């Protein structure tokens, strides 16, 4: 951390820059009149936001973020800008005498003065003094509030006694828990809700839609009081007082007052100082206190006791198996020691025999005369001859070796038996570890119903803000998913829910004109299918018009005007980055971001997202997700001597195809799968690998991804294997149809194919081929030359990966190592597009672009900048040289190929 004097100096510099920003915003009307005015103001507000966060002024950073949102409107909201600039001035005046938060320490968002929010202060004091309560009370309260949300959502569709009873039990249990732990304020609000439900159950007051809305507001107030999630800018005292007044009105039978607008989160105006900066520089102030960094809370999940018992049973079995394996290892050690002793005996026997038979130092007995062969010989010598020399040195040696061989044979038999038993024990250990892994995975599973409840609340808030009436239905709340997957699908699902309200559900008048109910229906459902979980977001709104999508895609340059796309392929265009069907930019739509992030995040989980829509009837988004991320099952294959993996949950069929099974299809070869004709493509062709000779019987995988089915021909199907998937990293993300990699026991890296990207790559290559054939047929002449692309980059890896990406799409790619090399290539041949990096040796990218623009022959040549530099200065300089397309690495293959294809003349 900087010294106090340095902090004061940096703080003074920040405040001077902040007041310069205020001066620029004061002239917003004149600035916005210029063509580039919005960009200028956006730059200064963005700079203010970053500087305020860096110097420890979170409230000023929040105001700068809201200024950015106001400028993002089309046209910008000048009234809101003026109000925010006034708040910014007050905040800067207050910041002159207020010490900033410590840099590098997490600081809370701006909040109301504690004196104006005594209830917040009381609750914070309670939780700070009862840290142990947070560990068990908050998870329980969250569970009960999720139940309240689910029951209220059901009551919106119609009052049912079972739903009222379920709601009453959740509120009653929450009230009791709050009183027991000492959180009286939460218990009081829950008690008022319980009183309303008691009156309703007794039939004295009906649960009208206004009453359900009030109970929803009370549930939101309880979450605010418990910090689920925290909202430091809200005035808890005012919110709770308003909710209690509405609950009291329900109990008294008087009209329920409308909810009060949220109090302004900004402090009261502070009188401006005569010279703020002079006072800042001249008046000494104490250094800000060092704030101790708070440890981030540990993530926890609630596990059923039955599952913990199962885990303990498996651990007990594993302990027994470990003892059994230890016994087998002791037996192996005993056999090994016996073998070692036999080896020693054999070595000693051989040494003794060699010493007696071949030691030259021993005297050789003289030969006896033949005549006296039996004279003077002992009885034992004569007996030895009768027993065929069995008791001489050779006989003893042979007998000893035979005994040792018999011992070794017996030991070998024992070793075989021990090994067989040990293998059986290890198989049992494998089964136990598999079951243990499965139980641990089950312990990480949580019901998806809690997530649905959150979306219901946020969706209803979005519907009210849009002036629409929406009814939410949920199904399959008990379906369980890994907690890590739950956390990563929050944003995609939230965007889909908001999308249904913004784009799908019509206004009440429009729905009545179409013969529909005034209230639209959004359905959130989950279900198991094989080894995956299907999560669906459906609505009964206007649907997605494929013709509108095609027109917008052509107008925005995503597809050529002569592209032939069926409805499924057209609907997939909404997942392209930057594509939007909104007619105007608002805070909820129009920027072309969101749907591409949805598909990217889902595919990062080795899942997929599909869309189905009927104009006038509605739209359905389906997310196919794995059950867990711990271990995935994959089918191992080989292609051009490369080993690859395919997610098993994406494989619909494994078969072999004979030549007579292949049929002509609308896009080339096809095979019949059930009653459907499915395109058949060789996987080496899609991946840009060398294709080997075809065999009479070809192994084929039928996979499903991106909402379509594809038959893929491979070289060999090996086996099923459980793998741990690792991400490829930022640099390789988007390169090729790969979703990750796995490291095997032999330390070999195996790439995992992404079924969705694989289907899209095959469709794109097929579309390029068909377009080329149409142009050739229309011209009625020899095949036209391939479209040529000059790829300039000093990185061999980039040239290789991006070059293969473009070649698979049908482009003729020429590479250059730097700008000087590219100039030589441009002098030798003509190209349709130039793709260049910026930082290169000898001649950099800017110099190359300038040279291209100065040459008459290449002045109109399209240039795409592909770089890691995303700064405003780099982009501005490139645009000043006439560059219209600036792409930052890593690049998404589909979008990049589409961009290059749109710049090539037909």
């Amino acid at each position: 951390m900087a010294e106090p004097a340095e902090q004061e100096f940096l703080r003074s510099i920040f405040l001077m820059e902040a007041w310069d920003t205020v001066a620029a915003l004061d002239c917003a009307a004149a600035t916005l009149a210029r063509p580039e005015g919005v960009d200028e103001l956006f730059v200064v507000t963005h700079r203010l936001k970053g500087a305020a966060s860096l110097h420890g002024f979170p409230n000023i950073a929040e105001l700068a973020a809201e200024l950015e949102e106001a400028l993002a409107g089309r046209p910008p909201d000048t009234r809101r800008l003026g109000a925010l600039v006034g708040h910014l001035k007050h905040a800067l005046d207050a910041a002159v005498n207020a010490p900033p938060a410590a840099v590098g320490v997490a600081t809370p968002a701006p909040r109301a003065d504690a004196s104006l929010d005594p209830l917040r202060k009381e609750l914070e004091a309670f939780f700070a003094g009862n840290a142990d309560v947070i560990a068990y009370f908050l998870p329980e309260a969250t569970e009960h509030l999720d139940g309240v949300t689910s029951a209220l959502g059901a009551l919106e569709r119609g009052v049912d006694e079972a739903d009222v009873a379920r709601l009453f039990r959740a509120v009653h249990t929450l009230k009791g828990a709050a009183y027991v732990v000492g959180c009286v304020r939460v218990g009081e609000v829950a008690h008022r809700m319980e009183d309303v439900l008691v009156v309703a159950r007794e039939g004295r007051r009906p649960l009208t839609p206004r009453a359900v809305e009030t109970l929803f507001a009370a549930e939101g107030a309880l979450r605010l009081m418990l910090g689920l999630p925290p909202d430091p800018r809200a005035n808890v005292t005012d919110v709770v007082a308003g909710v209690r007044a509405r609950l009291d009105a329900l109990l008294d039978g008087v009209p329920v007052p409308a909810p009060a607008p949220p109090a302004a989160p900004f402090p009261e105006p502070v009188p401006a100082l005569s010279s703020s900066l002079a006072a800042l520089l001249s008046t000494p102030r104490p250094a800000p206190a060092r704030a101790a960094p708070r440890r981030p809370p540990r993530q926890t999940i609630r596990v059923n006791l039955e599952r913990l018992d199962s885990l303990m049973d498996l651990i007990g079995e594993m302990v027994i198996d470990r003892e059994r394996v230890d016994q087998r290892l002791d037996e192996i050690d005993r056999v090994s020691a016996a073998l070692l002793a036999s080896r020693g005996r054999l070595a000693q026997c051989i040494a003794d025999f060699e010493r007696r038979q071949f030691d030259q130092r021993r005297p050789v007995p003289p030969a006896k005369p033949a005549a006296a062969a039996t004279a003077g010989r002992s009885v034992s010598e004569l007996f030895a001859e009768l027993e065929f020399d069995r008791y001489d040195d050779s006989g003893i040696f042979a007998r000893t070796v035979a005994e040792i061989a018999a011992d070794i044979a017996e030991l070998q038999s024992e070793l075989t038996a021990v090994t067989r038993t040990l293998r059986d024990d290890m198989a049992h250990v494998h089964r136990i570890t598999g079951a243990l892994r499965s139980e641990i995975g089950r312990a990480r599973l949580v019901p998806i119903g809690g997530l649905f409840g959150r979306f219901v609340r946020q969706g209803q808030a979005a519907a009210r803000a849009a002036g629409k009436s929406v009814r939410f239905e949920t199904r399959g709340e008990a379906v369980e998913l890994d907690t890590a997957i739950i956390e990563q699908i929050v944003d995609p699902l939230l965007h889909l829910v908001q999308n249904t309200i913004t784009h799908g559900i019509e206004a009440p008048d429009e729905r009545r004109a179409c013969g529909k109910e005034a209230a639209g229906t959004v359905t959130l459902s989950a279900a198991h299918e094989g080894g995956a979980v299907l999560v669906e977001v459906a609505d009964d709104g206007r649907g997605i018009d494929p013709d509108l999508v095609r027109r917008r895609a052509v107008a925005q340059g995503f597809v050529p005007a002569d592209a032939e796309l069926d409805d499924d392929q057209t609907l997939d265009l909404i997942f392209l980055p930057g594509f939007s069907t909104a007619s105007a930019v608002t805070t909820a739509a129009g920027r072309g971001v969101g749907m591409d992030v949805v598909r990217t995040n889902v595919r990062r989980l080795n899942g997929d997202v599909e869309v189905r829509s009927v104009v006038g009837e509605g739209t359905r988004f389906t997310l196919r997700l794995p059950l867990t991320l711990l271990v995935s099952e994959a089918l191992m294959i080989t292609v051009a001597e490369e080993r690859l993996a395919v997610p098993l949950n994406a494989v619909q069929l494994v078969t072999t195809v004979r030549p007579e099974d292949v049929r002509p299809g609308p896009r080339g070869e096809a095979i019949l799968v059930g009653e459907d004709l499915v395109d058949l493509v060789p996987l080496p062709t899609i991946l840009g690998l060398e294709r080997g000779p075809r065999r009479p019987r070809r192994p084929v995988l039928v996979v499903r991804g991106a909402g379509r089915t594809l038959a893929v021909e491979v070289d060999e199907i090996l086996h099923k294997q459980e793998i741990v998937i690792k991400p490829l990293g930022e640099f390789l993300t988007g390169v090729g149809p790969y979703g990750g990699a796995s490291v095997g026991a032999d330390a070999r890296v195996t790439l995992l194919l992404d079924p969705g990207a694989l289907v899209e790559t095959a469709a794109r290559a097929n579309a390029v081929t068909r377009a080329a054939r149409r142009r050739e047929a229309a011209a009625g002449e020899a095949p036209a030359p391939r479209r040529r692309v000059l790829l300039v980059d000093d990185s061999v890896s980039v040239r290789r990966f991006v070059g293969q990406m473009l070649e698979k799409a049908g482009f003729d790619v020429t590479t250059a190592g730097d700008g000087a090399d590219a100039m030589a290539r441009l002098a030798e041949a003509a190209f349709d597009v130039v793709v260049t990096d910026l930082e290169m040796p000898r001649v950099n990218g800017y110099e190359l672009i300038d040279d291209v623009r100065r040459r008459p022959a290449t002045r109109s040549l399209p240039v795409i900048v592909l770089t890691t530099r995303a700064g405003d200065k780099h982009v501005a300089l490139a645009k000043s040289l006439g560059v219209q397309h600036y792409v930052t690495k890593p690049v998404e293959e589909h979008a990049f190929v589409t961009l290059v294809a749109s710049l090539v003349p037909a």
Side-chain angles (χ1 to χ4, degrees):
M1 185 178 292
E3 296 298 326
E6 295 178 0
Q7 287 182 343
E8 285 296 313
F9 175 73
L10 294 174
R11 186 178 176 212
S12 64
I13 296 298
F14 160 72
L15 288 173
M16 286 188 288
E17 292 180 348
W19 282 109
D20 290 341
T21 301
V22 171
L25 292 171
D26 281 336
C27 304
T31 306
L32 292 175
R34 299 197 302 268
E36 302 295 332
V38 176
D39 293 338
E40 294 178 11
L41 293 179
F42 192 86
V43 169
V44 297
T45 54
H46 184 76
R47 186 186 301 127
L48 175 63
K49 181 178 71 172
S53 300
L54 177 65
H55 290 281
F57 293 96
N59 57 335
I60 297 177
E62 288 282 340
L63 286 171
E66 293 191 16
L67 285 167
E68 284 184 343
E69 293 180 3
L71 289 170
R74 292 293 184 272
D77 189 348
T78 54
R79 293 184 59 185
R80 187 183 178 198
L81 281 174
L84 290 173
V85 170
H87 291 307
L88 179 59
K89 291 178 180 179
H90 297 151
L92 289 175
D93 284 335
V96 171
N97 294 314
V103 177
V105 179
T107 56
R111 61 178 59 190
D113 188 359
S115 61
L116 302 178
D117 195 355
L119 181 55
R120 177 189 291 276
K121 185 177 180 180
E122 179 183 345
L123 291 170
E124 288 178 347
F126 170 77
F127 287 116
N130 299 272
D132 56 330
V133 172
I134 301 178
Y136 58 85
F137 175 62
L138 285 186
E140 181 185 3
T142 302
E143 182 178 345
H144 293 318
L145 288 174
D146 289 341
V148 170
T149 303
S150 176
L152 288 174
L155 289 175
E156 276 194 326
R157 298 188 292 271
V159 178
D160 183 79
E161 291 298 330
D163 295 327
V164 175
R166 182 159 56 99
L167 176 61
F168 179 82
R169 283 194 301 271
V171 173
H172 178 77
T173 307
L174 176 60
K175 179 200 71 172
Y179 279 138
V180 167
V181 301
C183 193
V184 179
R185 300 304 181 190
V186 171
E188 289 175 350
V189 176
H191 198 164
R192 295 292 179 95
M193 296 176 65
E194 184 184 33
D195 291 342
V196 172
L197 293 173
V198 169
V199 172
R201 296 181 74 183
E202 293 176 352
R204 289 184 286 163
R205 297 280 189 275
L207 276 181
T208 61
R210 194 63 179 267
V212 174
E213 182 182 352
T214 301
L215 291 173
F216 259 121
E219 183 260 355
L222 288 173
R223 290 183 181 272
L224 179 63
M225 297 170 72
L226 296 172
L228 302 170
D231 185 3
R233 304 186 65 184
N235 191 304
V236 180
T237 304
D238 293 344
V239 172
V240 173
V243 166
R244 293 184 64 169
R246 297 172 66 184
L247 291 172
D248 290 340
L250 285 177
L251 290 172
D252 298 336
V254 299
V256 178
F266 306 103
E268 292 297 323
V270 179
L273 300 178
S274 58
S275 179
S276 302
L277 291 179
L280 169 68
L281 296 174
S282 61
T283 304
R285 281 178 295 274
R290 293 175 179 261
R294 296 179 60 188
R295 293 179 59 186
R298 293 182 177 179
Q299 293 185 349
T300 60
I301 55 175
R302 303 184 68 183
V303 181
N304 192 304
L305 185 60
E306 180 183 352
R307 292 183 177 177
L308 290 179
D309 292 339
S310 299
L311 289 174
M312 293 305 300
D313 292 341
L314 290 172
I315 291 174
E317 293 187 33
M318 182 169 286
V319 170
I320 297 174
D321 287 340
R322 185 186 65 182
E323 294 178 355
R324 188 180 294 117
V325 170
D326 288 340
Q327 293 178 0
R328 302 294 178 261
L329 293 177
D330 291 341
E331 293 180 13
I332 291 177
D333 290 339
R334 180 184 59 78
V335 173
S336 177
L339 286 173
L340 186 62
S342 298
R343 175 186 173 186
R345 288 173 55 202
L346 181 61
Q348 183 64 40
C349 178
I350 293 174
D352 293 343
F353 182 77
E354 288 179 345
R355 185 173 63 255
R356 288 194 298 267
Q357 295 295 326
F358 305 108
D359 193 350
Q360 297 179 359
R361 293 173 296 181
R362 293 183 62 184
V364 180
K368 297 180 180 180
T374 59
R377 299 176 67 182
S378 64
V379 176
S380 61
E381 291 176 339
L382 295 174
F383 180 74
E385 289 183 359
L386 294 176
E387 292 296 323
F388 306 103
D389 298 330
R390 198 180 303 175
Y391 293 97
D392 59 3
D393 290 340
S394 299
I396 293 174
F397 175 73
R399 188 167 59 253
T400 304
V401 170
E403 291 175 357
I404 294 174
D407 292 342
I408 292 177
E410 182 179 355
L411 291 174
Q412 183 179 7
S413 176
E414 291 183 15
L415 182 61
T416 301
V418 173
T419 303
R420 186 184 305 111
T421 307
L422 180 60
R423 185 174 288 109
D424 294 339
D425 293 339
M426 289 305 300
H428 192 259
V429 169
H430 283 309
R431 288 194 295 270
I432 295 297
T433 54
L436 188 61
R437 187 195 66 215
S438 176
E439 287 296 327
I440 292 175
R442 289 182 59 201
R444 290 173 53 89
L445 300 180
V446 294
I448 200 172
L451 198 62
F452 285 171
R454 186 192 312 179
F455 296 146
V456 169
R457 293 191 306 274
Q458 295 172 333
Q460 287 168 337
R464 286 192 293 268
K468 299 179 180 180
S469 179
V470 179
R471 181 174 57 250
F472 283 85
E473 296 181 358
T474 57
R475 302 169 188 163
E477 296 93 335
V479 173
E480 295 180 323
L481 273 175
D482 193 302
T483 181
I485 297 178
I486 290 284
E487 293 172 358
Q488 296 187 49
I489 65 171
V490 170
D491 289 340
L493 281 178
L494 178 59
H495 182 82
L496 291 178
V497 171
Q498 293 176 337
N499 228 38
T500 60
I501 296 171
T502 303
H503 297 283
I505 300 297
E506 311 94 331
D509 295 340
E510 182 180 350
R511 292 183 63 86
R512 293 191 188 97
C514 297
K516 300 180 180 179
E517 295 182 4
T521 302
V522 176
T523 304
L524 304 175
S525 62
H528 288 282
E529 184 178 281
V533 172
L534 301 184
V535 181
E536 293 185 345
V537 179
D539 65 77
D540 63 347
R542 60 173 59 93
I544 303 175
D545 186 358
D547 295 332
L548 174 62
V549 174
R550 289 190 192 95
R551 292 195 300 270
R552 291 292 174 85
V554 172
Q556 297 176 19
F558 287 98
V559 295
D562 60 345
E564 292 185 1
L565 301 175
D566 57 27
D567 288 348
D568 291 340
Q569 294 171 329
T570 301
L571 291 180
D572 269 350
L573 295 176
I574 66 175
F575 295 104
L576 293 177
F579 180 81
S580 177
T581 58
S583 57
V585 177
T586 65
T587 57
R591 293 184 176 87
V593 294
M595 296 306 299
D596 62 317
V597 177
V598 170
R599 173 162 281 182
T600 300
N601 288 352
V602 172
R603 285 185 175 175
R604 196 175 293 145
L605 300 171
N606 290 316
D608 200 9
V609 57
E610 302 176 7
V611 56
R612 291 287 181 269
S613 182
V614 178
V615 178
E617 296 183 11
T619 305
R620 181 182 302 274
F621 289 92
T622 303
L623 278 64
R624 182 181 296 271
L625 302 167
L627 283 172
T628 180
L629 296 178
L630 294 178
V631 178
S632 299
E633 290 187 332
L635 197 63
M636 310 304 292
I637 62 174
T638 57
V639 177
E641 299 183 357
E642 296 288 340
R643 188 174 65 183
L644 301 172
V646 182
L648 194 62
N649 59 4
V651 179
Q652 293 190 334
L653 180 66
V654 178
T655 184
T656 56
V657 174
R658 296 169 296 183
E660 56 268 23
D661 298 329
V662 180
R663 305 183 180 186
R667 290 171 291 273
E669 293 184 339
I671 61 172
L672 198 61
V673 179
E675 297 180 356
D676 300 326
L677 197 62
V678 179
D679 293 339
L680 174 64
V681 294
L683 188 55
T685 303
I686 302 177
L687 302 180
L689 301 175
E690 183 178 354
R691 183 176 177 180
R694 284 193 169 182
R695 291 177 289 178
R697 298 179 67 88
R698 294 178 272 171
V700 170
L701 301 178
V702 179
V703 299
R704 182 169 182 81
R708 297 189 294 273
T709 305
L710 181 69
V712 181
E713 177 187 343
V714 301
D715 291 346
E716 186 179 3
I717 300 174
L718 300 177
H719 53 267
K720 184 184 77 171
Q721 182 174 330
E722 293 182 338
I723 61 175
V724 178
I725 303 171
K726 302 294 183 182
L728 292 175
E730 293 186 1
F731 182 75
L732 295 179
T733 299
V735 177
Y738 305 109
S742 176
V743 181
D746 56 354
R748 182 176 178 181
V749 177
T750 301
L751 291 174
L752 179 75
L753 291 171
D754 182 348
L758 187 67
V759 172
E760 290 176 352
T761 303
R764 187 164 55 249
N766 208 331
V768 170
T769 303
R770 286 187 286 117
R773 290 174 180 172
R774 286 199 307 271
R775 287 194 296 269
E776 294 170 8
E781 53 190 25
R786 298 175 68 189
R787 300 167 295 176
R788 304 198 63 186
V789 177
L790 177 60
L791 176 60
V792 189
D793 201 298
D794 58 336
S795 170
V796 177
S797 299
V798 173
R799 295 201 301 269
R800 179 177 179 183
F801 282 118
V802 179
Q804 289 181 352
M805 180 193 309
L806 295 173
E807 286 176 348
K808 285 189 296 182
F811 295 98
D812 185 5
V813 181
T814 301
T815 59
D818 55 27
D821 193 8
M823 291 178 182
R825 298 286 188 274
L826 288 169
E828 295 171 356
F831 295 91
D832 297 308
V833 179
V834 174
V835 180
T836 179
D837 192 12
L838 292 181
E839 295 183 356
M840 295 179 292
R842 297 199 295 176
V843 176
N844 61 42
Y846 292 118
E847 294 169 336
L848 172 62
I849 298 170
D850 185 56
D851 182 78
V852 168
R853 292 293 178 251
R854 284 191 289 104
R855 296 186 186 186
T858 59
R859 186 168 296 159
S860 60
L861 182 63
V863 177
I864 301 174
V865 171
L866 180 62
T867 179
T868 56
R869 295 292 187 181
D872 295 337
K873 293 182 179 179
H874 297 85
V875 178
L877 180 55
K879 289 186 176 180
S880 67
L881 295 174
V883 175
Q884 300 295 326
H885 304 282
Y886 196 99
V887 181
T888 56
K889 303 172 185 175
V891 61
E892 202 279 322
E893 181 175 352
H894 187 194
F896 185 70
V897 170
T898 303
L899 172 62
V900 175
S902 67
L903 298 177
V904 176

